[in-house]
Amino acid sequence: GGATAAATRRALVDALWRARVLAGDVAGPLAEARGQLHRRPGAGSRYDYGVLLLAARRPAAARAQLRVLLDDPRFGPDARRIVAVLDFQAGRDAAASAEFDALLASGHHVDDAYYYLGLIADRDGAPLRALRFLARVRGGDNALPAMLQAAAILRAQGADAAADAMLQSVVIEDGLQAPEIIALRARLDVRAGRPAAALAVLDQGIGEYPDDMGLRYARASARVAAGQVDAALAELRAVLARRPQDPEALNAYGYTLADQSRQLDLARALIERALRQAPHDAAIRDSLAWVLFRQGRLAAARANSAAAYAESPGGDIGAHYGEILWRLGRHAQARRIFAQAAAIDPESRLLMRTRARLDAGESTK
């Protein structure tokens, strides 16, 4: 019928807009979606425009559009979920909790609501409440992340055996996710100051899954934590040799060189190649800012770091942005960034170390 044909056309146009945005053509699709909203100011047009703004990495504008739809019977639940996640990502935990509670009351996106309420509780320093929420996630995309987060909380509370048993049960039940879980176990060991244990876990995992690049990246990171920098770089060179055009491989090798203040020209070239292939990746933009910082190009470093932080205001990116601002003498602004990033990502060890070092009057050489 006519309604079905119209819905199909709308879905196709929306998919085309998103594809163009992801390919780097942002202004055109946004103008077309905005024009459609003016011509047909209905809930569907507003929702499409809001989601497109989100794809274009304009979260504040997307949130403003989608908040208008919170009480719409058709689009309200999906809009509320996106608004809640955006509030969570920005560290607005009270607002996010209110929206997730509303989703629970309405019976929509229940698993997502429990998952994020668990993360918020953990961020608020309430591990038992976090575990209760995470245990209620039964399905959906966040079922595995909820179990992994629960294991991380158990480890942080000293219940290592319970955490390892939980992770092992997930490996047995879902073998496809085993490499990801092995990498998580290793990260938890590194976070606990046990890089040797992390390397043992990763060596065994790579023996079982030799082609998994995520485990290779994790082992390189664990080797850096263990002080085995040359071995870490050799691992990343081997990954890059197998995947010479992979932006993740280019970025991992380039960032590690930059962070160790080695071969900075090569590091920058690698990161710039990665960024050309993934121009909207905040982590790669952060790496470029960091290598520019190491090269003493502070103005360019600040501009790139600010852009990365605007896209992804997490702990590690916030640590780099704050340190660049600190070196520029903008101590008050740096402290604001540190506080914002800590509210979003209180577990970032890099952020904690950077704040402590700068407060002690030191600086990265």
Side-chain angles (χ1 to χ4, degrees):
T4 301
T8 301
R9 283 196 299 274
R10 179 182 150 219
L12 289 172
V13 169
D14 184 52
L16 179 59
W17 282 340
R18 292 195 206 186
R20 288 168 60 189
V21 165
L22 293 174
D25 176 14
V26 175
L30 286 179
E32 293 169 23
R34 189 165 53 246
Q36 176 177 280
L37 177 59
H38 289 322
R39 291 191 304 273
R40 291 181 288 175
S45 296
R46 187 173 299 279
Y47 182 80
D48 290 344
Y49 183 41
V51 172
L52 193 65
L53 284 165
L54 193 62
R57 300 178 182 270
R58 300 186 183 182
R63 182 177 182 272
Q65 292 295 327
L66 294 170
R67 280 193 60 81
V68 177
L69 302 173
L70 294 185
D71 295 323
D72 183 86
R74 181 179 175 190
F75 295 96
D78 290 342
R80 190 179 299 279
R81 178 193 174 279
I82 295 172
V83 167
V85 172
L86 289 174
D87 282 337
F88 169 80
Q89 291 172 342
R92 296 187 290 266
D93 287 353
S97 293
E99 299 300 350
F100 286 124
D101 285 339
L103 286 173
L104 288 178
S106 71
H108 292 95
H109 299 295
V110 170
D111 287 319
D112 287 341
Y114 280 131
Y115 173 66
Y116 282 102
L117 286 169
L119 296 185
I120 290 169
D122 184 38
R123 201 150 72 180
D124 287 345
L128 293 180
R129 183 156 54 93
L131 288 170
R132 284 196 292 271
F133 280 128
L134 294 169
R136 302 187 72 173
V137 180
R138 302 300 184 192
D141 292 341
N142 286 321
L144 178 61
M147 293 192 70
L148 300 182
Q149 184 65 23
I153 293 171
L154 288 170
R155 275 285 189 93
Q157 297 301 306
D160 290 7
D164 288 344
M166 177 179 289
L167 293 173
Q168 187 59 34
S169 71
V170 179
V171 170
I172 293 170
E173 292 174 11
D174 189 352
L176 294 177
Q177 300 289 342
E180 180 182 349
I181 296 161
I182 292 167
L184 173 73
R185 283 190 64 180
R187 286 197 298 274
L188 294 176
D189 281 326
V190 169
R191 186 183 300 175
R194 298 193 296 262
L199 287 169
V201 168
L202 290 165
D203 287 344
Q204 181 178 349
I206 290 171
E208 296 176 13
Y209 305 96
D211 295 325
D212 188 90
M213 293 299 104
L215 293 176
R216 301 280 181 176
Y217 294 133
R219 187 161 69 178
S221 179
R223 282 177 167 163
V224 170
Q228 303 172 11
V229 176
D230 289 338
L233 290 170
E235 181 108 50
L236 293 172
R237 278 197 303 273
V239 172
L240 185 58
R242 295 175 63 180
R243 299 189 172 189
Q245 302 304 320
D246 184 349
E248 185 177 5
L250 289 163
N251 183 57
Y253 187 33
Y255 173 78
T256 304
L257 284 171
D259 199 45
Q260 299 298 318
S261 294
R262 298 191 183 190
Q263 297 179 272
L264 294 179
D265 289 341
L266 172 61
R268 183 177 167 191
L270 291 167
I271 294 166
E272 287 176 338
R273 279 175 57 194
L275 193 61
R276 283 195 293 271
Q277 296 184 54
H280 302 296
D281 192 305
I284 300 175
R285 179 71 61 183
D286 171 63
S287 295
L288 179 59
W290 198 236
V291 73
L292 289 167
F293 173 70
R294 293 295 201 189
Q295 291 180 318
R297 301 185 58 187
L298 299 185
R302 186 199 62 79
N304 280 279
S305 194
Y309 186 75
E311 294 291 344
S312 181
D316 288 6
I317 292 178
H320 288 157
Y321 186 27
E323 178 145 6
I324 292 166
L325 290 169
W326 192 281
R327 178 70 69 85
L328 287 164
R330 302 182 182 187
H331 292 185
Q333 186 182 358
R335 288 194 174 96
R336 285 196 298 272
I337 294 299
F338 287 149
Q340 292 170 4
I344 295 169
D345 188 4
E347 299 299 320
S348 170
R349 293 175 64 83
L350 176 62
L351 179 60
M352 289 186 280
R353 289 195 303 266
T354 301
R355 294 180 78 176
R357 175 167 45 77
L358 294 178
D359 283 339
E362 301 175 8
S363 63
T364 299
K365 302 301 182 185

